[in-house]
Amino acid sequence: GGVLSALAADLRMFAAERRDRRFIHDALGRYTSPALVQTLLDRRDLLDRFGGAKQELTVYFSDIRGFTTVSEGLDPERLVELLNAYLSAQAEIVERNAGYVDKYVGDAIMAVWGAPVPDADHAARACRAALELRANLDRLRPEWKARFGVELFARAGVNTCDAVAGNIGSVRKAQYTVLGDGVNLASRLEGANKAYGTEILVGDRTRQKAGDRFVFRTMDLLQVKGKNVGVPVFVLVAERGALPPEEEAWLARWEEAVAAYRARDFAGARAGFVS
């Protein structure tokens, strides 16, 4: 009888602990990424470690193009409803691709791959997610146009870098996030889409780390504040093998034209760009 009573008590404690963990996971998951919450529950040492540690990771920034115009055309309640639908749909894709949403800033999304747990494939996962996020928005755009009367288009920047990841803030209130010059560059790449008329810009390190699984288009050397030399930036086009032959041929001509331009063969570059 004593053994059975002890076993029953242990089972009740185990069930209570599981219930508490589920409550913490669900409650915190409403205010931050459920994937991050689960990682921190599994790795308590990450919670206890105040401050951060440097590690390689990939950061994604996106925002809605012309969001001020969109917001002016909707009542506040309808705007919140639209934003919640948009952010929920996009966050699901981030988490399905093993990333986590670091924060929302209005309509903007910041997501991270490769932290808090290191992941050697973080650049490729981020690129795949960025393409899925674009395709998902394309799919949902007509539905939201009919429902809310507005069309949503997003721009994104993706950059791979060494950044500090950890609990940043005060002793009483901290947030798990990532900081560093490369994180800022991801945000600037997102903003540079406006000037180039592009949708997804990535840094050179992302292109190298993602490898041959994706198609990139050379864009420019971007002058970034605080740097003396231009930063190579590329357009993330598609996964390898997803483009029709005519688009593959057009991209090959584009790369030849860029090479001619950088070799100061301006006539050859012009001919290539207009072909």
Side-chain angles (χ1 to χ4, degrees):
V3 171
L4 290 175
S5 296
L7 179 60
D10 288 343
L11 289 174
R12 284 196 298 270
M13 291 178 62
F14 178 72
E17 182 179 353
R18 284 179 59 89
R19 188 166 57 249
D20 290 344
R21 283 175 61 90
R22 175 53 56 187
F23 172 78
I24 293 171
H25 181 278
D26 293 345
L28 292 179
R30 292 177 63 87
Y31 296 96
T32 186
S33 166
L36 176 60
V37 173
Q38 187 60 55
T39 299
L40 294 177
L41 286 173
D42 294 338
R43 292 280 308 276
R44 299 295 181 92
D45 60 299
L46 295 174
L47 279 172
D48 296 334
R49 187 175 61 198
F50 191 75
K54 183 176 287 188
Q55 62 190 81
E56 186 184 66
L57 46 83
T58 299
V59 185
Y60 168 95
F61 276 91
S62 75
D63 74 353
I64 296 173
R65 190 178 78 195
F67 181 70
T68 300
T69 302
V70 171
S71 62
E72 289 174 348
L74 291 173
D75 293 334
E77 295 82 2
R78 296 282 285 166
L79 178 62
V80 170
E81 184 182 354
L82 173 60
L83 266 182
N84 285 341
Y86 166 74
L87 295 174
S88 296
Q90 302 300 75
E92 181 180 343
I93 292 173
V94 169
E95 291 164 7
R96 190 167 66 240
N97 283 277
Y100 82 89
V101 175
D102 182 274
K103 60 175 65 71
Y104 302 116
V105 183
D107 62 301
I109 299 173
M110 175 182 171
V112 179
W113 281 261
V117 178
D119 178 4
D121 210 29
H122 54 82
R125 293 184 193 275
C127 288
R128 187 170 295 110
L131 293 172
E132 287 188 31
L133 289 163
R134 182 179 66 184
N136 190 54
L137 183 55
D138 290 343
R139 180 181 63 82
L140 291 171
R141 187 177 298 114
E143 175 187 331
W144 289 339
K145 170 68 172 177
R147 184 176 167 189
F148 297 98
V150 296
E151 290 186 297
L152 298 187
F153 298 87
R155 296 182 287 241
V158 184
N159 191 48
T160 301
C161 60
D162 294 321
V164 175
N167 299 306
I168 310 299
S170 68
V171 176
R172 293 177 59 85
K173 182 176 177 60
Q175 176 186 2
Y176 188 90
T177 189
V178 297
L179 299 172
D181 183 58
V183 177
N184 297 334
L185 178 57
S187 177
R188 288 168 180 160
L189 290 176
E190 179 273 313
N193 282 288
K194 183 177 182 179
Y196 293 124
T198 52
E199 293 179 315
I200 308 173
L201 284 177
V202 308
D204 190 34
R205 194 163 166 185
T206 300
R207 180 188 64 85
Q208 294 178 26
K209 288 285 184 177
D212 295 332
R213 287 171 284 182
F214 300 90
V215 177
F216 299 94
R217 175 163 63 96
T218 303
M219 195 66 231
D220 202 358
L221 294 173
L222 183 65
Q223 186 64 51
V224 179
K225 183 178 180 181
K227 293 186 179 294
N228 296 323
V229 296
V231 176
V233 295
F234 303 82
V235 177
L236 174 59
V237 180
E239 289 199 59
R240 182 73 62 184
L243 293 178
E246 58 271 20
E247 288 193 40
E248 292 275 8
W250 181 87
L251 282 170
R253 293 196 300 272
W254 173 276
E255 295 298 331
E256 291 173 358
V258 170
Y261 175 80
R262 292 182 175 175
R264 304 184 68 80
D265 176 9
F266 300 124
R270 180 180 178 84
F273 284 134
V274 300
S275 65

